[in-house]
Amino acid sequence: MTDLETRTAGRPGASGLPGALRRAAPALLGYAAVRALGLLALALWSAARDKSAYTLLTARWDSLWYTRVAELGYGYEVRLPNGDVHSNLAFFPLLPWLERLGAAVTPLSYADAGFVVSLLASLAAAWGIFAVAEHVYGRRAGVCAVLLWAVLPVGVVQSMAYSESLFTALAAWSLYAVLTGRWVTAGVLASLAGLTRPVGLAVAAAVWVAALTAYARSRGDAVADGTQGPARAPGDGARRVLGMLLAPLGAAGYVLWVGHRTGKGPLGYLDVQAGWRNGFDGGVAFARFVAEKFTSFPAALAGVGLVVGVALLVWLYVVGVRQRQPLALLVYTGIVVALALCASSYFGSKPRLLLPAFPLLLPLALALARLRTSRSALVVAGVAVASAVYGAFWLNGSGPP
């Protein structure tokens, strides 16, 4: 075992699935309670507006594209009057595969299966976030990190038939595997994350950086004392290399397949995304969008909110660096945030694109964990109510594109 594995195995209750589940139980129960509150608020708000909350969760926007892939496969596209082409090749395949599997082995429809996958994946994501945060900062911070992820303003997306929960679950557990030296597991999960969303490459990058750092550190230790420490255990180097090789296969494989299918070579997927007006411009389009808000009132208030939001993201990342978060977390978070903020896609989608960047919450979780239990519970409860109301309002309005 590596040093990290030894440290984790030495914790009370950390050995075995039952012990790990017992440790995570408060976080998972708290997460389920927050999401139940959000769904209740959505149901009440939707009923008051004569809408179906379940339809909002399973049969709008991207949910329809995923179920169409599950039912009919790839090849469907919509040509808009302005010439844009919206192709379902833009949607990565793991969620539709799971929807198809669920519909095949149960009486559920594709949309129903997508909803079930999302609910189960959100619990798996919450558990993975707990595992990462507990490993870095302890159990109390782990519980707080999960609750903070649950009460995010756009947390309702975690319960939608979208791919955010599935991706976050795979990313969190891959990062935990990295932190505990389980390189092959990390690589497999990173590859699956790469089959879920384009940003899966952030998980692969985290695996690579951590593996290369571990290799350099083990070489340095060997040179320093002339012995082989735990990091140089037999077979560890081979497992590390295998994990690195596996990590990018999912994302790279799908992108190359799209390029082959479209006949446009390795960069064909970029053309598909261009049809959706998605691209990477370094944040120019987003900066222009924010600047335009300041040309009128009360739109300027929204502009101020966007500037404050971006500043908060940067501040949380800097705090994470100062608190010496593991390099894998910093690399992963940095790429997720950069892709979300610097993409030229629809700007209303950026909050949900940031959902997988859960390590940004670790500084807040650590601060919350230092409060008295009664005070931290009061804070979480208040924010949970606000989040539930906002999620119901948001999804009944413009919602996540």
Side-chain angles (χ1 to χ4, degrees):
M1 291 191 298
T2 65
D3 290 334
L4 287 174
E5 286 176 308
T6 304
R7 184 173 63 188
T8 303
R11 289 177 176 172
S15 58
L17 184 61
L21 183 57
R22 282 195 298 271
R23 292 187 65 79
L28 298 180
L29 291 173
Y31 177 80
V34 171
R35 293 303 332 126
L37 176 64
L39 292 178
L40 176 61
L42 176 64
L44 295 175
W45 194 296
S46 301
R49 294 175 59 87
D50 198 26
K51 292 184 177 181
S52 167
Y54 189 70
T55 298
L56 294 176
L57 293 169
T58 63
R60 293 183 72 187
W61 303 294
D62 290 5
S63 299
L64 293 174
W65 286 90
Y66 282 120
T67 55
R68 188 174 286 116
V69 172
E71 182 178 6
L72 303 175
Y74 286 104
Y76 177 82
E77 63 183 27
V78 175
R79 295 184 177 272
L80 303 184
N82 65 357
D84 289 346
V85 178
H86 288 184
S87 168
N88 65 0
L89 289 169
F91 296 87
F92 276 51
L94 186 56
L95 178 57
W97 287 348
L98 294 175
E99 290 178 341
R100 182 178 296 179
L101 176 63
V105 301
T106 69
L108 298 176
S109 67
Y110 295 110
D112 295 337
F115 181 64
V116 171
V117 169
S118 180
L119 290 183
L120 295 177
S122 67
L123 287 171
W127 193 356
I129 292 170
F130 170 81
V132 170
E134 183 201 28
H135 184 86
V136 178
Y137 292 126
R139 186 185 186 193
R140 189 176 175 88
V143 174
C144 291
V146 171
L147 294 177
L148 288 173
W149 192 66
V151 303
L152 288 173
V154 294
V156 68
V157 175
Q158 298 164 14
S159 301
M160 296 181 68
Y162 270 45
S163 60
E164 273 75 14
S165 289
L166 179 60
F167 175 80
T168 304
L170 294 167
W173 283 108
S174 178
L175 291 169
Y176 178 73
V178 167
L179 295 178
T180 54
R182 298 170 172 89
W183 299 107
V184 177
T185 300
V188 170
L189 293 174
S191 186
L192 291 173
L195 285 171
T196 308
R197 297 188 63 82
V199 75
L201 290 174
V203 190
V207 173
W208 273 66
V209 169
L212 292 174
T213 302
Y215 172 75
R217 188 172 299 157
S218 65
R219 292 286 296 177
D221 292 342
V223 170
D225 58 18
T227 63
Q228 288 190 340
R232 297 287 291 171
D236 187 65
R239 289 191 293 270
R240 195 158 49 223
V241 171
L242 181 56
M244 293 174 66
L245 293 176
L246 289 171
L249 289 185
Y254 181 69
V255 168
L256 292 175
W257 178 81
V258 170
H260 173 73
R261 182 182 176 104
T262 59
K264 296 183 179 180
L267 300 181
Y269 182 76
L270 298 181
D271 291 333
V272 171
Q273 286 286 5
W276 287 81
R277 297 293 179 97
N278 289 337
F280 188 87
D281 63 0
V284 174
F286 183 50
R288 188 181 299 118
F289 172 78
V290 174
E292 289 173 354
K293 296 294 183 182
F294 291 94
T295 60
S296 63
F297 188 86
L301 298 178
V304 171
L306 289 170
V307 171
V308 171
V310 173
L312 177 61
L313 293 175
V314 174
W315 177 75
L316 288 173
Y317 188 80
V318 171
V319 173
V321 173
R322 290 178 175 174
Q323 291 179 344
R324 303 177 68 85
Q325 283 186 16
L327 184 58
L329 300 186
L330 294 174
V331 169
Y332 166 77
T333 307
I335 295 176
V336 171
V337 172
L339 290 178
L341 295 183
C342 297
S344 58
S345 56
Y346 179 69
F347 304 113
S349 65
K350 293 190 182 297
R352 73 173 178 88
L353 296 181
L354 289 166
L355 271 178
F358 68 89
L360 287 175
L361 300 174
L362 295 185
L364 297 177
L366 189 59
L368 189 63
R370 290 168 176 161
L371 299 178
R372 292 182 178 178
T373 301
S374 58
R375 185 171 298 180
S376 60
L378 185 62
V379 170
V380 170
V383 178
V385 171
S387 174
V389 173
Y390 177 76
F393 165 78
W394 186 53
L395 203 54
N396 275 276
S398 60

